[in-house]
Amino acid sequence: MTATRKQDTDGAPRPVTARRPGGRTARTRARILEATLHLVARDGIAGLRYEEVAELAGVHKTSVYRNWPDREELVNAALLQYSGSVELEDTGDLRHDLVNYLVALADLLSTTTGRAMQRAIQSARENPEVALPVNRIFERRLANLQQVVDHAVARGELPPVDGYFLAEMLTGPVHLYVSRSLRPFTRAEAERITDVVLAGLRHTAG
C-alpha cells in the first residue's frame, strides 16, 4: 500500500508536499536553447530538426516540443536568451562604462556560445525568420547605448553622437581581435579603443 499522507505530531494526517522541479526545468530549457543556437549557427533555421536539438541538449524530443511547439519561437527564444549576456551600464562615467562593455563583449565572443551566436546572426542575412529576432536584439542594444550616450552628452562628456555610429566604431575592433585570435583582447586594448574613438568624436565635433 502506498502512503499519500504523513502523520502530524498530534496524529492527524497532513498532505505530502511535492517538490517543484523548477530548477531542473530551467536547466533543461537552457540546454535546449543553447543547443538550438549551435544548430542554427551550423545549419540555419531551415535545417533545424527537433531530434538533433534534443540529442545535443541531452533531453527527450518531447521536452523540446512541449516548451516550443513552433520552430520560429524556439529560434527566437535562443537568440534572445543569449543576447542579453552583455549590457552597457550607466554609472555616470562614460569611459569606464564603455571599457567594461568592450571587455565583457570580448569575453562573450570568445566562448563557444558567443561564437555560435555570431554565426547565427550572420545567417540572418539570408533568412528572414532569423533576421526578425536579430533585429530586435540590435534595436534593444542600440536603445540602451543611445540612452547612455545621451546622458553623457547631457553631462558634457561627449558631443551629440549617433549611437549606431558609436557602436560600430567601438565594437568593430573587438570582433576583429577575437575572430583573428592573434593575441588576447585585454582591458588595455579596450581602453585604447575607447580613448581613440572618444577623442576622435570630440575632435571632430562642431
Side-chain angles (χ1 to χ4, degrees):
M1 185 170 108
T2 302
T4 58
R5 291 174 177 266
K6 292 184 179 179
Q7 298 291 321
D8 282 330
T9 53
D10 61 359
R14 59 183 174 82
V16 176
T17 303
R19 291 186 176 182
R20 300 183 66 182
R24 184 174 64 183
T25 300
R27 289 192 295 271
T28 297
R29 288 172 62 91
R31 290 202 303 270
I32 292 172
L33 293 178
E34 185 171 2
T36 300
L37 188 63
H38 281 267
L39 291 173
V40 169
R42 190 190 72 186
D43 304 325
I45 191 172
L48 183 68
R49 298 174 60 245
Y50 275 37
E51 294 82 358
E52 290 188 342
V53 172
E55 181 180 358
L56 186 58
V59 302
H60 196 275
K61 184 172 66 174
T62 56
S63 296
V64 185
Y65 278 109
R66 184 170 59 249
N67 285 282
W68 294 279
D70 181 80
R71 185 172 59 175
E72 183 178 343
E73 290 181 1
L74 173 59
V75 173
N76 289 358
L79 289 170
L80 294 172
Q81 168 77 16
Y82 291 101
S83 69
S85 302
V86 179
E87 292 290 337
L88 176 60
E89 295 182 329
D90 191 0
T91 67
D93 184 339
L94 180 63
R95 179 185 184 275
H96 171 82
D97 295 338
L98 290 177
V99 169
N100 283 346
Y101 176 77
L102 296 187
V103 171
L105 176 62
D107 288 343
L108 173 64
L109 294 175
S110 300
T111 66
T112 301
T113 299
R115 289 191 293 270
M117 185 174 177
Q118 286 301 109
R119 291 194 295 271
I121 289 173
Q122 291 168 2
S123 72
R125 297 175 182 175
E126 292 79 32
N127 197 316
E129 292 178 316
V130 179
L132 180 62
V134 167
N135 289 338
R136 289 173 58 193
I137 290 169
F138 281 107
E139 287 172 2
R140 187 175 64 186
R141 287 183 176 178
L142 182 58
N144 171 229
L145 175 63
Q146 189 67 63
Q147 183 180 49
V148 175
V149 169
D150 289 344
H151 290 167
V153 171
R155 293 192 303 267
E157 289 188 66
L158 199 66
V161 61
D162 176 64
Y164 181 83
F165 177 78
L166 179 58
E168 293 296 293
M169 291 291 96
L170 289 168
T171 62
V174 180
H175 284 270
L176 287 176
Y177 262 90
V178 176
S179 63
R180 291 176 177 174
S181 301
L182 296 178
R183 63 183 184 184
F185 186 87
T186 66
R187 187 174 187 84
E189 301 297 342
E191 291 173 343
R192 291 174 61 190
I193 292 169
T194 301
D195 288 341
V196 167
V197 172
L198 294 183
L201 290 173
R202 293 174 180 131
H203 180 71
T204 57

